[in-house]
Amino acid sequence: MVSTPSREMTGALVLGAGMLLVAGYVLYKRKSKSYSVGKLSQLILYPIKSGPPMHVQSAECLETGLKYKQIYDRQFALIGKTTFISIRTNLRLLKLKINYDEDTNSLILEAPTMTAALSIPLQVPEYDPSKVKSFMWYDNRETLYFDYGDTYSKWLSEFLEEECRLGYAHPEIVREINPEMVYNHTAVHPDSKILFSNTHPFMIATQASLDDLNERLEDKVTMNSFRPNFVITGEGNSVIEPYIEDSWREICVGPDAVLYNSRACPRCPMIYVDYDNHKMRDNKEPMTTLLRYRRGTVRKDKSKTVFGINVTLIKHGRISVGDKFVAAYATA
């Protein structure tokens, strides 16, 4: 009697074959000679720029970043008098809690100082040019946003104890990626854009790099300090070496998605934030330690502290926690 493979086994074989085909395509097209293999252990969105993380089990990789149901990564920003409000300028953001209500397709914001929650509808509002405003980005670029209105502004301003407008990245006004921040334009999806991310639609970090950093620190930090979208770990006998991500080029995640490593991610004082104790670290760690051995090597990033990688899209697809990935890198 000849046994036949189960549906689950067949599916696993098909997925594995698909991953090998994608990896083979990448290695052939880019003439890379080596690759890393691991798995996706965490998948994280930040619906509000500088707001709390939302851990999910699966999401879509799109030109603008991750999408979970009707939530897009960094589709909202909190706008102060002149620029956006971040954790490093207002630590009250650390007390904000965020959830998704699928029944009403809304983000639900809660805070200990507020008696009622704030419900933010996620359906795309009708475009009204009179509601389009602007603020100055950190690099003095003017950035447009769609103002969600006074109801949301009142709640947020009261919670943050400063003037605040809820800015939305309306599809009519999404930003182009700054060309100075993309070091290989031929590998970037032609429709790549960003919402309220700083420079790129995705950021990847590896657990091995965080573990190596923590071995050098007296007070350990968590991955929250670096706010990645993907956390990558080794799988089985495959070992991910610390900072090997710097040399990755194409990254294949799951059966379809292909990403491109644009550059090592320069870090700002946001990494001083102590998420557990709701304060900024007085010793400026982990930046102080990273400066001793982790600096950029390309263009404007030279001499800057780097950790993780900024990534753009080549081919979109759905990905899930536990998915295998193959990261090709040139050895020549």
Side-chain angles (χ1 to χ4, degrees), residues 294-309:
R294 291 288 301 162
R295 292 177 183 265
T297 59
V298 182
R299 299 185 189 178
K300 293 183 178 180
D301 298 339
K302 288 183 177 180
S303 80
K304 293 181 180 178
T305 304
V306 293
F307 186 96
I309 53 177

Side-chain angles (χ1 to χ4, degrees), residues 1-66:
M1 180 177 178
V2 178
S3 62
T4 58
S6 66
R7 181 178 299 177
E8 291 78 8
M9 182 179 295
T10 301
L13 290 171
V14 170
L15 176 60
M19 286 293 294
L20 289 174
L21 285 172
V22 172
Y25 168 79
V26 166
L27 293 170
Y28 169 75
K29 292 291 286 183
R30 303 295 178 189
K31 299 181 180 180
S32 297
K33 299 179 181 179
S34 302
Y35 59 92
S36 299
V37 178
K39 70 175 181 179
L40 178 63
S41 63
Q42 295 182 53
L43 187 55
I44 312 163
L45 291 86
Y46 307 86
I48 300 175
K49 181 177 180 62
S50 207
M54 179 176 286
H55 291 256
V56 299
Q57 290 300 304
S58 64
E60 296 177 67
C61 287
L62 303 178
E63 291 83 356
T64 55
L66 290 177

Side-chain angles (χ1 to χ4, degrees), residues 100-325:
Y100 174 59
D101 186 341
E102 191 165 3
D103 292 336
T104 61
N105 188 31
S106 301
L107 281 181
I108 307 298
L109 304 188
E110 296 177 290
T113 56
M114 305 300 290
T115 56
L118 180 67
S119 177
I120 303 174
L122 292 173
Q123 59 265 31
V124 177
E126 182 179 353
Y127 184 68
D128 181 350
S130 69
K131 295 182 179 180
V132 176
K133 301 179 181 180
S134 67
F135 67 93
M136 297 305 294
W137 204 260
Y138 66 93
D139 59 358
N140 293 321
R141 285 183 295 131
E142 184 180 43
T143 300
L144 301 178
Y145 71 93
F146 186 91
D147 193 323
Y148 244 52
D150 292 340
T151 298
Y152 307 95
S153 175
K154 181 179 179 180
W155 193 97
L156 290 164
S157 298
E158 181 180 345
F159 163 58
L160 294 172
E161 298 183 6
E162 68 171 294
E163 182 181 321
C164 175
R165 307 298 298 184
L166 179 61
Y168 171 64
H170 197 284
E172 296 289 336
I173 55 173
V174 293
R175 296 185 296 143
E176 301 286 341
I177 295 177
N178 186 341
E180 294 183 2
M181 302 299 178
V182 180
Y183 299 155
N184 186 336
H185 295 269
T186 61
V188 179
H189 193 286
D191 296 323
S192 288
K193 298 180 185 297
I194 49 177
L195 303 183
F196 289 122
S197 299
N198 281 357
T199 58
H200 292 72
F202 306 96
M203 205 283 276
I204 295 178
T206 68
Q207 186 62 45
S209 297
L210 180 66
D211 292 344
D212 179 82
L213 170 61
N214 274 327
E215 288 181 4
R216 306 165 189 263
L217 295 173
E218 182 176 344
D219 296 320
K220 312 304 181 188
V221 298
T222 67
M223 196 62 85
N224 282 340
S225 294
F226 300 100
R227 300 175 68 80
N229 296 115
F230 310 105
V231 178
I232 305 298
T233 60
E235 183 180 38
N237 294 326
S238 176
V239 177
I240 300 295
E241 297 293 337
Y243 315 111
I244 190 66
E245 62 269 26
D246 291 353
S247 60
W248 291 345
R249 290 298 173 261
E250 288 82 4
I251 303 166
C252 307
V253 187
D256 297 310
V258 183
L259 308 170
Y260 184 82
N261 176 10
S262 179
R263 63 172 189 173
C265 181
R267 308 315 309 204
C268 71
M270 181 77 80
I271 65 175
Y272 300 166
V273 177
D274 182 343
Y275 286 83
D276 293 330
N277 297 305
H278 294 181
K279 66 177 186 177
M280 300 291 280
R281 298 185 183 92
D282 294 333
N283 59 5
K284 297 185 178 180
E285 289 289 13
M287 182 82 79
T288 302
T289 295
L290 284 169
L291 279 169
R292 298 188 187 119
Y293 74 107
R294 291 288 301 162
R295 292 177 183 265
T297 59
V298 182
R299 299 185 189 178
K300 293 183 178 180
D301 298 339
K302 288 183 177 180
S303 80
K304 293 181 180 178
T305 304
V306 293
F307 186 96
I309 53 177
N310 289 133
V311 176
T312 53
L313 183 79
I314 296 178
K315 181 176 180 290
H316 47 71
R318 174 167 289 278
I319 61 175
S320 300
V321 170
D323 275 351
K324 291 185 178 180
F325 84 100

Side-chain angles (χ1 to χ4, degrees), residues 45 58-62 65-73:
L45 291 86
S58 64
E60 296 177 67
C61 287
L62 303 178
L66 290 177
K67 177 187 178 185
Y68 169 73
K69 299 191 177 183
Q70 296 302 310
I71 302 171
Y72 294 80
D73 186 47

